[in-house]
Amino acid sequence: MAALQQTPITFQSRSPPPSAQLTTKPVPKLVLSGSLKLPKITIKLLPKRLPRRGNHGGALGAKMADSAAGSYANALADVAKSNGTLEQTTSDIEKLEKIFDDEAVYEFFVSPIVGIEKKRELVDEIVSSSSIQPHVANFLNILVDMKRVELIKEIVKEFEKVYNTITDTELAVVTSVVKLESQHLAQIAKGVQRLTGAKNVRIKTVIDESLVAGFTIRYGNSGSKLIDMSVKKQLEDIAAQLEIGDIQLAGAV
């Protein structure tokens, strides 16, 4: 297979100075108690190419997109480290994640019909209303100019991995029916820390009413490990043991 030619891309900010399969091994149960002048950065990206015909075209395209997103994420992390703004930049990336979760916003930025200037205007509004740092705003404008905004969701995921590696942080995604109290989340974080030995633990919360009650904790490389303490899982286990169909509680969706 011919090697892909990499094209270096360089950008410089105009801002002023300033890491799945479910494990089958038993895991310990968690018991809850109590009720800028920015440095010059070079990104090496694989050029955009049309996928070859055949069964592997989609896989190849996805791999190239992952590579590009990883390059952008690493470049942004380098800027944040050099400026001493890694934590603030992570916070900004989380803000962008929520903003681009809005399908209307995402479709606006990836639309070939909307002009770059209109997209830049919306970037300015986002930056102003969300208090985004200048170098992150500049980064978003670069994605707009290079027509790579479609990678933003992948870039967010890759940046998260880079941040976790740099800071020895374990990400735990806690899914529950209702929002858990902060003290419960703190206990979960300590439990995950004991299980993984990580220096730090970051908690992300997700609401899923289909769990009926209880919660799940997903952690590890790409969320490969799962602790399921939900009523839904208990009902599924009972159904499996009795060899019957799905069990539903009255009133449960």
Side-chain angles (χ1 to χ4, degrees), residues 145-157:
D145 292 343
M146 298 181 70
K147 299 181 179 180
R148 300 296 268 168
V149 183
E150 77 274 6
L151 294 176
I152 187 64
K153 296 181 181 181
E154 287 76 17
I155 292 173
V156 169
K157 294 177 182 177

Side-chain angles (χ1 to χ4, degrees), residues 41 75-87 89-90 135 159:
I41 302 170
L76 181 58
D78 286 342
V79 173
K81 286 191 296 182
S82 67
N83 288 339
T85 61
L86 186 59
E87 294 299 329
T89 300
T90 300
H135 67 276
F159 184 89

Side-chain angles (χ1 to χ4, degrees), residues 186-239:
Q187 291 176 47
I188 290 173
K190 290 180 180 179
V192 172
Q193 189 173 38
R194 287 196 302 270
L195 293 173
T196 63
K199 182 178 179 181
N200 306 293
V201 174
R202 290 179 63 228
I203 298 291
K204 270 192 172 183
T205 59
V206 178
I207 301 299
D208 183 357
E209 296 181 356
S210 73
L211 296 180
V212 185
F215 57 89
T216 66
I217 307 168
R218 189 175 289 278
Y219 65 100
N221 186 26
S222 298
S224 59
K225 299 180 180 179
L226 176 69
I227 298 176
D228 196 331
M229 303 178 70
S230 66
V231 170
K232 178 181 179 181
K233 178 61 167 59
Q234 296 174 28
L235 294 175
E236 290 174 348
D237 290 344
I238 293 172

Side-chain angles (χ1 to χ4, degrees), residues 104-125:
V105 174
Y106 179 79
E107 291 299 331
F108 177 88
F109 277 102
V110 301
S111 173
I113 301 176
V114 181
I116 289 181
E117 288 305 317
K118 288 293 183 180
K119 294 177 181 179
R120 276 183 166 271
E121 289 176 5
L122 184 53
V123 168
D124 290 341
E125 292 182 23

Side-chain angles (χ1 to χ4, degrees), residues 122-169:
L122 184 53
V123 168
D124 290 341
E125 292 182 23
I126 291 173
V127 169
S128 176
S129 63
S130 301
S131 300
I132 302 293
Q133 297 175 98
H135 67 276
V136 179
N138 181 62
F139 179 78
L140 188 53
N141 275 317
I142 288 171
L143 294 181
V144 169
D145 292 343
M146 298 181 70
K147 299 181 179 180
R148 300 296 268 168
V149 183
E150 77 274 6
L151 294 176
I152 187 64
K153 296 181 181 181
E154 287 76 17
I155 292 173
V156 169
K157 294 177 182 177
E158 292 298 324
F159 184 89
E160 190 171 73
K161 293 178 183 178
V162 175
Y163 171 87
N164 292 344
T165 298
I166 294 173
T167 60
D168 188 14
T169 297

